[in-house]
Amino acid sequence: MKFFNKRLTMITASAAITLSLLSFSAMAKTVDTRATSTQTAAAPTITWEKSLSLLESGNKRFVTGKLTKKDFSKAKLNDLTVNGQKPFATIISCADSRVPPEHLFDQGLGDVFIARNAGNVIDDVTLGTVEYGAEHLGTPLIVVMGHTKCGACKATVDSNLAHSHEASVGIESILSKIKPSFEEAYTHTQNTNALYTLTEDLNIENSIQELEERSPILKELVEQKKVKIVGAKYDISTGKVTFEKSHD
Ligand SMILES: [Zn+2]
């Protein structure tokens, strides 16, 4: 699969993110003081390797049906309210109902910071969400996770093959984000099913690249080795998440 063969330069959100006014104000302050932002960034409590290991072991439990018991008690809610959140990873995934990160990584409340949208693309809101997770919450690992049978990627392929331009403004904003991946895929194959898969894979890579290129905050955190961005793909038929393995 091309996605896993192509070297990624490193690295790697958006519907239901709720930030308290207090947190949002803190984030805005951080952005306003870019020169010293890294000094105010939350220090990761674990390494990205450990974070990745936690996600891998969680997905293994999901695949084998050996899920851990989750704590949804009032005490847990109170703890997270009083002490705040300290998620160990930021995940960008598709809005697809078959791809819920908390479930497929067997994680509980307060564990993972997630931004979701159809097609796991990087728009401005998603970019800001990921920056917030990495810089303010201190997650050492950012995962861009695509998946098999992605409807957003399929719609992009189908509309381009049909030369259809009838999408709404909202849908078009998604399709236009994925279109470069389709166009690159089309230089390799004209087989429709292969185009679906390759477009999914390239869309993961392109989202990673966009994070790196558009965010000075993430670029700096990656260069300082405070943050690692990795790609991953979820197989909706097996439940398994495969991470790209070009870690260094
Ligand atoms: Zn999808």
Side-chain angles (χ1 to χ4, degrees):
M1 202 158 39
K2 182 176 173 62
F3 162 59
F4 296 110
N5 292 334
K6 189 172 176 180
R7 175 70 186 98
L8 301 176
T9 322
M10 199 99 320
I11 305 270
T12 16
S14 104
I17 294 296
T18 303
L19 301 172
S20 69
L21 288 174
L22 182 61
S23 297
F24 201 85
S25 141
M27 176 171 65
K29 183 181 177 187
T30 301
V31 170
D32 287 344
T33 55
R34 276 301 307 139
T36 58
S37 67
T38 54
Q39 294 163 15
T40 60
T45 54
I46 61 173
T47 64
W48 71 264
E49 288 95 339
K50 176 63 178 173
S51 175
L52 181 60
S53 173
L54 289 173
L55 293 180
E56 288 180 320
S57 57
N59 181 242
K60 192 172 183 180
R61 293 194 299 275
F62 177 76
V63 170
T64 56
K66 297 176 180 173
L67 303 175
T68 54
K69 187 170 172 18
K70 302 296 178 298
D71 186 355
F72 298 123
S73 67
K74 289 283 186 283
K76 178 72 174 180
L77 299 182
N78 186 60
D79 173 56
L80 289 170
T81 303
V82 172
N83 297 313
Q85 61 173 326
K86 193 63 183 173
F88 67 82
T90 293
I91 301 171
I92 303 161
S93 77
C94 186
D96 192 305
S97 62
R98 300 165 293 183
V99 191
E102 291 94 336
H103 290 308
L104 55 92
F105 288 120
D106 190 31
Q107 297 301 317
L109 293 173
D111 290 334
V112 283
F113 192 68
I114 301 171
R116 299 179 68 175
N117 59 52
N120 40 273
V121 297
I122 310 299
D123 60 6
D124 290 351
V125 173
T126 301
L127 185 63
T129 303
V130 175
E131 289 175 335
Y132 182 83
E135 185 180 46
H136 193 74
L137 299 178
T139 62
L141 180 70
I142 298 170
V143 180
V144 174
M145 186 173 70
H147 68 100
T148 58
K149 303 281 185 185
C150 181
C153 291
K154 181 179 186 300
T156 305
V157 172
D158 290 346
S159 66
N160 279 283
L161 290 179
H163 301 289
S164 169
H165 303 286
E166 296 177 358
S168 67
V169 172
I171 296 290
E172 180 55 34
S173 70
I174 298 170
L175 302 186
S176 64
K177 279 286 185 183
I178 302 175
K179 187 175 181 179
S181 300
F182 160 77
E183 290 175 333
E184 186 177 346
Y186 196 75
T187 66
H188 296 284
T189 182
Q190 282 79 56
N191 176 278
T192 304
N193 286 326
L195 277 172
Y196 293 153
T197 299
L198 192 50
T199 299
E200 291 162 358
D201 295 345
L202 291 169
N203 184 50
I204 297 168
E205 293 189 34
N206 286 331
S207 288
I208 293 173
Q209 190 174 356
E210 197 161 351
L211 287 177
E212 294 176 309
E213 291 180 353
R214 291 186 58 199
S215 174
I217 294 173
L218 296 178
K219 188 171 187 293
E220 187 175 354
L221 289 171
V222 168
E223 286 174 356
Q224 295 175 341
K225 300 192 181 303
K226 291 180 178 176
V227 165
K228 180 80 170 179
I229 307 178
V230 301
K233 192 169 184 182
Y234 175 65
D235 186 328
I236 66 166
S237 68
T238 65
K240 182 172 173 49
V241 176
T242 302
F243 289 89
E244 58 96 0
K245 288 295 183 185
S246 58
H247 311 315
D248 54 13

